[in-house]
């Protein structure tokens, strides 16, 4: 008697991920079926995807979202998939992934409407903008009517999409995350599907000087505005002394200045004031009476009107410089002494007479002539060569007296005869001034006279003639449209049931995961190329370059690329020491560039400004291949770069990163997860999409297709990056290293 044995084809055993996905879709489907109500009301999806206001449907929409959140949390807890941080539990579900799942679930309540109108989610799910001082705001970009429309399916059959909500929730929850390398550089944020993209908006406090427009119509540019945050690095930005009095050389006023020609002449010089205007000035002459206020009227001041009786000089007046003429005739030379910080160089109130008069009684024996003394124009002195070449130091004495009337501006100064106080040789010994070398050197100053002076004085500006530096607050918006990428499809026969749905969905998730990760690495490499071109050609005037994200307004863009030839720089005498020495070489390069880019970019100043005080400790993010990563972690030192930074190191198998190290800054654990962080290198914007089973007719055949069309964009926020190309690492780690020893032949005494 024969028998026929029937074998049932069970198919390949499912992986743990597929099994877990099976359990999730089954239990999520059960929750949705048990809940009913909002989940089966197609008007919810219709209102969520409308391009107009929600009206009365908003309450029902919020109820659907609440039910979906409850179902999600319940299933995740049952399956031991709680909300974990990606860094601490890469297989957990973080709040960004949950946001993507929620948006997809709302869309899937009405699949035909989603296909017709595009994937639009609820207003209540938008990530709120931050109100923190100077912090980038994440603002949605509304899709105008007709934008981002998808092809309509009027005869759409919902029979094969009864699990559309479950599939879409599961797909977006798992796919809205990259691998650890890409997520470190580009943390994921969710853009709700009712938006075509998002806007990064940054609040800028700019400082600039008073601007007067050119009558010939020349464009005013940006008024020379600079971000006040950059002033922490560049002190010239807030350096403003526009009330400082500088006498201006004009025709008819030459007698008030040291002569520009002839013996003891001082050529007038051009200087740039803090407000950007260029003036011609020269030392004031002794034994002349003039109005200091009248002489100090620059062209910019004259545009506000000629100084009048409402203008006055501030009482803090000092003798800034003295000019000494040596010799006579064509061989005469002029040298200059800085006196502002010397005792008695300040003007004081007159004990009697007009109380607005300030008196100067300057007496000194400390004017030094030595090896570093030059002529006033910076050239070498001929007359002083015996002193300079011999290494002598000469101390001179003089008395200067005079007065300035603060109300009128009338000024007069006089100088006494110059005296040689002392002369010392290079050993510090005082020379006799009446005989020998001392007498010869002292004779150089015979007949020397003080010819001119500079004052440090300022106008009171009590009439508010000048406004000084101006501040304004503006917002700069940078819009990013999140593109719809190429679809990913799994075709199968129409006769196939739902048994393989979880496996197919898992394949879609894996493909999306790999695609977003590779796109992140491509964007990282592109950012390096862009920065390399811009940073090497920075505008010397400090103009903000139009490169990458909005954080360029807060930091100085930084880029550096170096090659580390490990075999050429390692110095190990013993093989046992080589691992530690090899690691020290690589970490040494990283430590050097990290501290330099931290300083040069002004990252701390920007972080402190955004935090409204002291910013969080930055994290140095280091991405490389697995081989190099093994040598970056210093044995016995978890800090790697010292206590100034946190360090996070991730590796990737992507061949485009092989042999390279990418370094930048980021912030983790600051409570801003899911929101673009301007102080983090970048972000990936993910727009949730539906995962659908579509019955389609192609090329004369019918099939069912499980398809999804991912929508994502990688954005670089922080224009700070360093790249190392590491070569000969394997040779240094395994081969014998030749050390060049110089043979030394002992000499016979």
């Amino acid at each position: 008697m024969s028998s026929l044995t029937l074998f049932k084809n069970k198919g390949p055993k499912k992986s743990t991920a597929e099994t877990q996905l099976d359990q999730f879709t089954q239990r999520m489907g059960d929750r949705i079926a048990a809940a009913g109500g909002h989940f089966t009301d197609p008007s919810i999806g219709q209102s969520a995807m409308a391009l107009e206001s929600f009206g009365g449907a908003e309450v029902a929409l919020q109820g659907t979202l609440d039910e979906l959140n409850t179902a999600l949390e319940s299933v995740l807890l049952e399956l031991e998939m709680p909300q974990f941080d990606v860094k601490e539990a890469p297989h957990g579900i973080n709040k960004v992934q949950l946001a993507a799942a929620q948006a997809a679930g709302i869309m899937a309540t009405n699949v035909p409407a989603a296909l017709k109108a595009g994937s639009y989610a609820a207003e209540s799910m938008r990530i709120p903008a931050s109100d923190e001082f100077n912090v980038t705001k994440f603002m949605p970009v509304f899709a105008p009517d007709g934008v981002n429309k998808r092809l309509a399916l009027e005869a759409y059959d919902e029979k094969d999409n009864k699990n559309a909500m479950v599939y879409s929730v599961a797909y977006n929850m798992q796919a809205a995350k990259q691998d650890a390398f890409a997520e470190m550089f580009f943390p994921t944020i969710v853009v709700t599907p009712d938006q075509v993209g998002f806007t990064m908006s940054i609040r800028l406090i700019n400082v600039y000087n008073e601007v007067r427009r050119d009558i010939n119509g020349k464009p005013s540019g940006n008024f020379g505005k600079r971000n006040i945050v950059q002033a922490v690095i560049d002190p010239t930005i807030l350096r403003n002394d526009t009330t400082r009095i500088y006498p201006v050389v004009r025709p008819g006023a030459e007698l008030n200045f040291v002569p520009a020609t002839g013996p003891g002449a001082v050529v007038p010089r051009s200087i740039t004031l803090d407000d950007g205007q260029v003036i011609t000035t020269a030392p004031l002459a002794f034994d002349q009476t003039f109005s200091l206020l009248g002489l100090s009227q620059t062209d910019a001041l004259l545009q506000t009107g000629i100084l009048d009786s409402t203008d006055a000089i501030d009482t803090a007046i000092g003798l800034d410089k003295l000019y000494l003429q040596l010799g006579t005739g064509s061989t005469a030379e002029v040298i200059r002494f800085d006196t502002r910080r010397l005792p008695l160089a300040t003007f004081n109130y007159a004990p009697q007479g007009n109380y607005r008069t300030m008196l100067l009684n300057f007496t000194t024996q400390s004017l030094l002539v030595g090896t570093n003394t030059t002529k006033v124009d910076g050239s070498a002195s001929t007359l002083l060569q015996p002193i300079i070449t011999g290494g002598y130091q000469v101390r001179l004495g003089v008395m200067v007296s005079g007065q300035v009337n603060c109300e009128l501006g009338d000024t007069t100064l006089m100088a006494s005869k110059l005296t040689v106080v002392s002369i010392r040789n290079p050993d510090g010994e005082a020379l006799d001034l009446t005989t020998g070398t001392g007498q010869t050197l002292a004779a150089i100053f015979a007949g020397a006279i003080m010819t001119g002076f500079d004052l440090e004085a300022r106008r009171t500006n009590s009439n508010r003639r000048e406004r000084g530096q101006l501040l304004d607050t503006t917002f700069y918006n940078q819009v990013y449209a999140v593109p719809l990428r190429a679809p990913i499809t799994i075709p199968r026969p129409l006769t196939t049931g739902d048994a393989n749905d979880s496996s197919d969905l898992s394949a879609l998730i894996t493909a999306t995961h790999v695609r977003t990760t590779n796109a992140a690495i491509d964007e990282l490499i592109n950012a390096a190329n862009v920065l390399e071109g811009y940073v090497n050609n920075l505008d010397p005037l400090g103009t903000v370059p139009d490169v990458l994200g909005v954080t360029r307004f807060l930091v100085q863009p930084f880029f550096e690329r170096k090659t580390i030839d490990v075999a050429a720089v390692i110095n190990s005498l013993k093989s046992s020491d080589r691992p530690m020495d090899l690691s020290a070489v690589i970490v040494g390069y990283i430590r050097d560039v990290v501290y330099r880019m931290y300083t040069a970019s002004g990252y701390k100043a920007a972080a402190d400004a955004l935090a409204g005080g002291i910013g969080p400790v930055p994290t140095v993010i280091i991405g490389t291949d697995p081989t190099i990563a093994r040598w970056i972690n210093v044995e016995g030192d978890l800090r790697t770069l010292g206590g100034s930074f946190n360090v996070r190191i991730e590796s990737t198998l992507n061949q485009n990163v092989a042999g390279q190290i990418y370094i930048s800054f980021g912030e983790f654990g600051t409570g801003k997860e899911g929101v673009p962080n301007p102080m983090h290198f970048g972000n990936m914007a993910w727009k949730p999409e539906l995962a659908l089973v579509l019955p389609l007719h192609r090329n004369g055949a019918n099939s069912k297709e499980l398809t999804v069309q991912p929508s994502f964009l990688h954005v670089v926020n922080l224009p700070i990056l360093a790249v190392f190309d590491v070569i000969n690492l394997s040779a240094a780690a395994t081969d014998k290293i030749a050390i060049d020893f110089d043979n030394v032949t002992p000499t016979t005494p």
Side-chain angles (χ1 to χ4, degrees):
M1 183 176 178
S2 64
S3 62
L4 179 65
T5 302
L6 299 178
F7 294 93
K8 183 178 181 181
N9 185 8
K10 298 181 180 180
K13 184 178 180 180
K14 293 187 176 182
S15 66
T16 303
E18 291 173 347
T19 302
Q20 192 176 54
L21 194 58
D22 259 339
Q23 296 172 344
F24 177 83
T25 54
Q26 179 62 44
R27 298 190 186 188
M28 194 68 188
D30 293 342
R31 295 292 192 283
I32 292 173
H38 294 143
F39 291 125
T40 59
D41 184 358
S43 65
I44 298 298
Q46 181 69 47
S47 62
M49 291 171 283
L51 297 180
E52 59 275 358
S53 63
F54 298 108
E58 187 171 359
V59 176
L61 192 61
Q62 184 61 51
T64 305
L65 181 59
D66 292 341
E67 291 184 16
L68 181 60
N69 288 339
T70 301
L72 267 172
E73 292 175 2
S74 174
V75 172
L76 291 175
L77 287 174
E78 289 179 15
L79 299 178
E80 297 183 351
M81 296 173 62
Q83 300 178 41
F84 286 116
D85 180 81
V86 177
K87 178 182 177 183
E88 296 177 355
H91 302 292
I93 306 300
N94 61 39
K95 67 179 183 180
V96 177
Q97 294 171 269
L98 282 179
Q102 294 163 359
I106 291 295
M107 287 191 295
T109 57
N110 192 325
V111 174
L115 291 172
K116 289 182 180 180
S119 302
Y120 299 100
E123 168 75 11
S124 59
M125 293 164 52
R126 291 182 189 146
I127 300 173
S130 172
D131 292 327
E132 296 180 45
F133 170 76
N134 219 24
V135 174
T136 296
K137 294 184 177 180
F138 181 31
M139 305 194 310
V141 178
F142 287 91
D145 194 18
V147 174
N148 203 26
K149 296 290 186 181
R150 312 275 168 77
L151 183 64
L153 297 179
E154 287 78 6
Y156 182 75
D157 184 2
E158 281 193 85
K159 180 176 63 176
D160 289 317
N161 278 284
K162 60 183 180 296
N163 291 326
M165 175 180 288
V166 177
Y167 292 162
S168 297
V169 168
Y171 169 79
N172 284 277
M173 185 175 66
Q174 298 280 6
K177 181 178 69 171
Q178 309 152 97
D179 75 354
F181 180 98
E183 198 70 27
M184 177 180 67
F185 282 97
F186 299 93
T188 304
I189 60 175
V190 175
V191 177
T192 53
D194 60 331
Q195 313 300 325
V196 298
F198 67 97
T199 297
M200 291 280 283
S201 179
I202 193 165
R203 182 187 180 197
L204 302 175
I205 300 179
N206 295 313
V207 57
Y208 62 101
N209 293 314
E210 185 77 60
V211 174
R212 291 178 173 83
R213 303 184 186 276
D214 200 316
I215 59 175
N216 62 11
K218 180 181 178 181
S220 300
N222 191 39
F223 295 164
K225 293 181 180 180
R226 301 287 299 276
N227 193 307
I228 199 169
V229 174
Q230 296 176 353
V232 178
I233 308 166
D234 184 359
T236 63
I237 294 176
L238 285 180
R239 182 175 295 155
N240 185 270
D241 205 5
T242 55
T243 59
R244 173 78 181 265
I245 292 176
Y246 290 97
V248 181
V249 177
R250 298 183 186 276
E254 294 88 347
L255 291 178
N256 300 312
F257 298 92
V258 173
T261 58
V266 177
V267 178
R269 67 188 188 279
S270 295
I271 62 173
T272 302
L273 304 184
D274 289 340
D275 58 3
Q277 64 176 318
V278 179
I279 66 168
T280 300
T281 187
L284 296 166
F286 281 110
D287 301 321
Q288 297 290 334
T289 300
F290 49 82
S291 171
L292 187 59
L293 283 174
L295 286 179
S296 67
Q297 296 182 96
T298 63
D299 291 343
L301 270 179
L302 291 174
Q303 291 181 20
T304 67
I306 298 177
L307 299 187
D308 55 28
S309 59
T310 63
D311 295 280
I313 299 175
D314 185 66
T315 56
I317 309 171
L319 183 63
D320 192 33
K321 293 178 177 61
L322 287 174
Y323 295 80
L324 175 66
Q325 176 184 331
L326 300 173
T328 58
S330 60
T331 62
E333 297 178 354
V334 177
I335 61 176
R336 180 177 58 203
F337 301 98
D338 292 325
T339 58
R340 184 64 183 92
R341 299 299 178 262
L342 296 180
L344 308 179
T346 57
F347 286 70
N348 293 287
Y349 286 105
Q352 57 183 347
N354 191 331
Y355 81 101
R356 302 298 298 274
T357 299
M358 305 295 294
L359 299 180
L360 174 69
N361 288 292
F362 175 69
T363 302
T364 184
Q365 295 182 345
S366 301
L367 302 182
L368 175 65
V369 176
T371 56
N372 296 324
T373 303
T374 62
K375 293 194 294 186
V376 71
D377 60 2
S379 61
S381 169
T382 302
L383 298 178
L384 296 177
Q385 279 305 303
I387 297 175
I388 296 172
T389 57
Y392 295 99
Q393 289 189 349
V394 180
R395 296 285 181 178
L396 304 177
V398 72
M399 295 178 59
V400 178
S401 61
Q403 65 179 27
V404 175
N405 187 292
C406 293
E407 179 185 18
L408 305 176
D410 293 348
T411 303
T412 302
L413 263 70
M414 297 167 288
S416 69
K417 182 180 178 180
L418 187 75
T419 60
V420 178
V421 178
S422 67
I423 301 176
R424 294 184 180 274
N425 62 21
D427 295 327
E429 298 171 343
L431 303 183
D432 186 353
L433 302 182
T434 62
T435 61
T437 303
Q439 183 181 29
T440 302
L441 297 180
I444 296 175
F445 300 94
I449 57 172
M450 289 292 178
T451 58
F453 61 93
D454 290 333
L455 293 179
E456 181 182 319
R458 293 169 178 81
R459 290 175 290 104
T460 60
N461 201 44
S462 56
N463 55 5
R464 295 298 180 266
R465 183 180 294 275
E466 287 188 289
R467 294 190 293 176
Q469 286 184 311
L470 307 178
L471 299 177
D472 76 339
T473 300
T474 60
F475 287 89
Y476 182 90
N477 300 325
Q478 189 157 330
V479 179
Y480 299 97
V482 181
L484 197 63
R485 308 285 179 162
I488 307 173
T489 304
I490 299 180
R492 61 190 180 191
L494 284 173
T495 56
T496 303
D498 299 336
N500 293 328
D501 281 359
S502 61
S503 297
D504 293 344
L505 188 60
S506 178
L508 287 180
I509 292 171
T510 300
T512 304
H513 185 266
V514 174
R515 179 186 283 188
T516 55
T517 295
N518 290 340
I521 294 174
D522 290 343
E523 184 62 27
L524 178 63
I525 295 172
N526 291 336
N529 295 333
V530 171
L531 275 173
E532 187 170 18
Y534 271 91
V535 171
N536 292 338
N537 298 280
L538 282 177
D539 189 331
L541 298 179
T543 303
V544 176
D546 293 329
V547 53
L548 302 180
V550 296
T551 316
R552 67 183 184 272
F553 290 100
L554 302 179
V555 301
Q556 182 76 2
F558 179 95
F559 179 83
E560 184 172 296
R561 184 188 293 272
K562 279 188 176 181
T563 297
I564 305 176
D565 188 344
V566 182
V569 296
I570 192 171
N571 296 309
S572 293
L573 297 177
K574 297 188 301 182
S575 296
S576 58
D577 295 336
R578 193 177 304 174
M580 185 177 298
D581 292 342
L582 194 152
S583 181
V585 166
I586 297 177
V587 172
Y589 275 93
I590 294 175
R591 182 181 290 115
D592 172 68
V593 77
V594 165
Y595 278 91
R596 285 191 294 105
M597 73 182 186
Y598 184 65
T599 303
S601 66
Y603 182 91
K604 175 174 172 51
D608 289 348
L610 293 178
I614 303 299
V617 176
T619 298
V620 178
I621 53 179
I622 303 174
T624 184
D625 64 34
T627 303
I628 299 175
R630 176 258 182 271
W631 302 103
I632 297 178
N633 290 290
V634 179
E635 185 176 353
D637 185 1
L638 300 178
R639 297 171 298 175
T640 303
L641 300 179
S644 300
F645 306 102
N646 298 319
V647 179
R648 183 169 171 185
I649 305 168
E650 298 291 353
S651 61
T652 178
L653 295 175
N654 190 299
Q655 62 182 4
N656 293 329
V657 183
Q660 294 181 315
I661 305 174
Y662 289 84
I663 307 170
S664 188
F665 292 113
E667 285 186 359
F668 299 93
T670 57
K672 297 179 182 178
E673 290 77 8
V675 180
N677 187 341
M679 300 313 297
H680 196 99
F681 178 77
N683 286 107
M684 182 188 79
W686 171 269
K687 186 189 294 184
E689 290 294 325
L690 294 177
L692 302 173
V693 179
L694 300 175
L696 295 175
H697 180 80
R698 297 181 190 273
N699 302 321
N702 296 315
S703 65
K704 290 198 300 185
E705 296 181 353
L706 178 59
T707 184
V708 69
Q709 193 163 357
S711 183
F712 61 88
L713 176 70
H714 290 88
V715 173
V716 175
N717 303 321
L718 188 65
I720 300 175
L721 189 63
V723 181
F724 289 118
D725 298 303
V726 182
I727 62 175
N728 296 325
L729 178 59
S730 296
T734 59
D735 297 342
K736 185 175 182 179
I737 300 174
I739 300 178
D740 184 16
F741 288 99
D742 291 331
N743 293 324
V744 180
T745 303
T747 58
T748 303

